[in-house]
């Protein structure tokens, strides 16, 4: 009976009469080193999140109103960066594991609500040109508006009958389509696709494709690897390069596209809930998708705040399913013409 009574007391403390705000933990009482080691981010970044999300997390309709926005944010950051509700997180801020779970849900939804504010393509001409210039500076590839790729995040099996989330490795996952700029800032993130869908099919059905095929970005293109179809707005590498120009094109393409692989490694290293080292995300596909998107928002905010470090590869257990690459260039003759013109103009 001792354990249930302890949990009951904690819940009464959080949700009892008067709805008192829980103030056991004070940011000003600990060092930046402690905050970074425990929650993954320094003090000023956490204060920014409190200002950004505070009003939403204090909504009177939410049962968790008894827990301060500051505490909710710390609980969520602790989960995102450690991948666990266990260990010191709840003890450090004085809340139960069940309360931690509610905090993560609240903060996740608050971040998802703001996804379009922080994850978007630039629209003004000066910023778009700066985007192209930054990519050109990497390896001499002109006209690049972003690099695109998919990454899998492991989730628990939704149910025994649903095989749509089983990827080529036999694991349940979400296949997440993302685009980033030359610094690793995410410009697009679609995190809800079932793991059984190959990358090319994800892009075929994605909002990203519709966005580019409306010719909103007709003066540039994305770079994608050989798992995608060649399109007028999506340049892929040549399957079998033969001429010096084709080899130079492929080398520039590979060096530029590598930015998104480094971005994925950075995100998995920073947000350990995504890397599989603590097990799969123990949520429904929809809630797991929202957690991934929340981490994408935090990734971009962290870059805005100068936390711009390329991390070493994470040591997670989730491997990328291998794609069967096919030579698909001939399916779009206009796309072949655009790429050939790029070869002749810039790489010959």
């Amino acid at each position: 009976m001792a354990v249930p009574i302890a949990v009951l007391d904690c819940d009464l403390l959080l949700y009892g009469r008067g709805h008192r705000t829980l103030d056991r933990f004070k940011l000003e009482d600990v060092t930046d080193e402690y905050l970074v080691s425990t929650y993954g981010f320094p003090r000023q970044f956490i204060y920014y999140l409190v200002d950004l999300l505070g009003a939403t997390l204090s909504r009177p309709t939410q049962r968790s109103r008894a827990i301060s926005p500051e505490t909710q944010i710390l609980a969520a950051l602790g989960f995102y960066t450690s991948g666990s509700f266990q260990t010191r997180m709840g003890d450090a801020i004085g809340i139960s594991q069940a309360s931690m779970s509610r905090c993560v849900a609240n903060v996740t939804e608050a971040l998802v609500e703001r996804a379009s504010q922080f994850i978007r393509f630039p629209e003004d001409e000066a910023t778009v040109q700066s985007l192209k210039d930054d990519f050109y500076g990497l390896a001499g590839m002109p006209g690049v508006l972003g690099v695109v790729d998919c990454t899998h995040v492991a989730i628990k099996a939704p149910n025994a009958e649903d095989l749509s989330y089983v990827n080529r490795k036999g694991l349940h996952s979400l296949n997440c389509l993302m685009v980033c700029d030359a610094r690793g800032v995410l410009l697009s993130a679609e995190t809800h696709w079932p793991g059984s869908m190959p990358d090319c099919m994800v892009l075929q059905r994605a909002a990203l494709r519709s966005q580019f095929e409306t010719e909103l970005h007709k003066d540039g293109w994305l770079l994608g690897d050989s798992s995608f179809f060649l399109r007028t707005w999506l340049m892929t590498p040549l399957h079998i390069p033969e001429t010096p120009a084709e080899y130079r094109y492929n080398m520039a393409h590979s060096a530029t596209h590598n930015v998104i692989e480094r971005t994925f490694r950075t995100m998995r290293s920073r947000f350990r809930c995504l890397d599989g080292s603590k097990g799969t995300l123990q949520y429904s596909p929809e809630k797991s998708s929202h957690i991934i998107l929340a981490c994408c928002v935090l990734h971009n905010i962290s870059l805005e705040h100068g936390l711009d470090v390329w991390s070493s590869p994470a040591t997670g257990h989730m491997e990328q399913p291998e794609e069967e690459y096919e030579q698909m260039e001939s399916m779009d003759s206009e796309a072949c013409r655009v790429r050939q013109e790029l070869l002749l103009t810039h790489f010959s």
Side-chain angles (χ1 to χ4, degrees), residues 16-302:
R17 293 186 183 90
H19 297 286
R20 292 171 295 174
T21 298
L22 187 64
D23 287 321
R24 292 182 180 181
F25 185 89
K26 297 289 187 181
L27 279 176
E28 56 268 24
D29 292 340
V30 296
T31 64
D32 260 2
E33 290 75 15
Y34 173 81
L35 290 172
V36 171
S37 66
T38 307
Y39 303 104
F41 293 96
R43 187 186 321 276
Q44 291 306 314
F45 182 87
I46 297 170
Y47 280 142
Y48 173 82
L49 292 181
V50 172
D51 289 339
L52 178 69
L53 307 178
T56 301
L57 298 177
S58 299
R59 288 173 181 166
T61 55
Q62 293 181 338
R63 186 182 180 219
S64 60
R65 62 188 172 182
I67 306 180
S68 70
E70 180 179 289
T71 301
Q72 292 185 63
I73 288 168
L74 288 173
L77 291 179
F79 171 71
Y80 297 146
T81 58
S82 73
S84 175
F85 289 127
Q86 308 296 329
T87 67
R88 54 189 174 176
M89 293 302 164
D91 292 339
I93 53 181
I95 62 175
S96 66
Q97 181 175 326
S99 298
M100 284 246 341
S101 181
R102 286 189 288 270
C103 291
V104 170
N106 291 342
V107 174
T108 295
E109 292 311 306
L111 288 168
V112 168
E113 287 177 5
R114 291 160 177 78
S116 61
Q117 176 183 346
F118 294 99
I119 304 174
R120 63 187 186 277
F121 282 94
E123 297 180 356
D124 63 282
E125 291 186 11
T127 308
V128 170
Q129 187 57 51
S130 177
L131 187 66
K132 294 178 182 179
D133 292 343
D134 288 345
F135 275 118
Y136 188 80
L138 294 179
M141 180 70 75
V144 180
L145 297 169
V147 289
V148 59
D149 207 349
C150 288
T151 186
H152 285 253
V153 176
I155 63 172
K156 73 173 183 178
N159 56 62
E161 292 75 27
D162 189 354
L163 300 180
S164 64
Y165 292 93
V166 179
N167 61 39
R168 292 176 59 83
K169 296 290 187 180
L171 304 173
H172 290 82
S173 68
L174 289 170
N175 196 3
C176 306
L177 178 73
M178 300 187 194
V179 180
C180 74
D181 70 9
R183 278 206 312 131
V185 175
L186 296 174
L187 307 175
S188 177
E190 299 184 35
T191 60
H192 61 283
W193 298 103
S196 66
M197 289 180 62
D199 294 359
C200 62
M201 185 179 296
V202 168
L203 183 57
Q204 182 74 9
R205 299 185 181 183
L208 179 68
R209 176 198 172 198
S210 300
Q211 183 178 6
F212 271 79
E213 290 193 346
T214 57
E215 299 186 356
L216 295 176
H217 304 282
K218 58 184 177 181
D219 295 326
W221 39 70
L222 302 176
L223 296 188
D225 63 22
S226 298
S227 61
F228 297 110
F229 289 93
L230 177 70
R231 292 287 184 257
T232 56
W233 49 269
L234 177 64
M235 294 292 102
T236 60
L238 287 131
H239 185 61
I240 304 177
E242 296 178 349
T243 68
E246 291 174 346
Y247 275 101
R248 284 192 288 269
Y249 166 85
N250 270 14
M251 289 178 64
H253 187 293
S254 177
T256 307
H257 188 266
N258 185 54
V259 171
I260 197 160
E261 298 299 334
R262 296 168 69 193
T263 299
F264 289 157
R265 291 197 296 268
T266 295
M267 292 183 64
R268 290 178 182 277
S269 180
R270 175 169 281 159
F271 303 109
R272 300 304 293 272
C273 68
L274 306 181
D275 77 358
S277 65
K278 299 292 185 179
T280 61
L281 286 174
Q282 296 298 301
Y283 295 93
S284 68
E286 180 182 8
K287 289 184 178 180
S288 295
S289 170
H290 285 187
I291 288 173
I292 300 166
L293 186 55
C295 291
C296 291
V297 173
L298 288 173
H299 169 78
N300 276 10
I301 295 175
S302 69

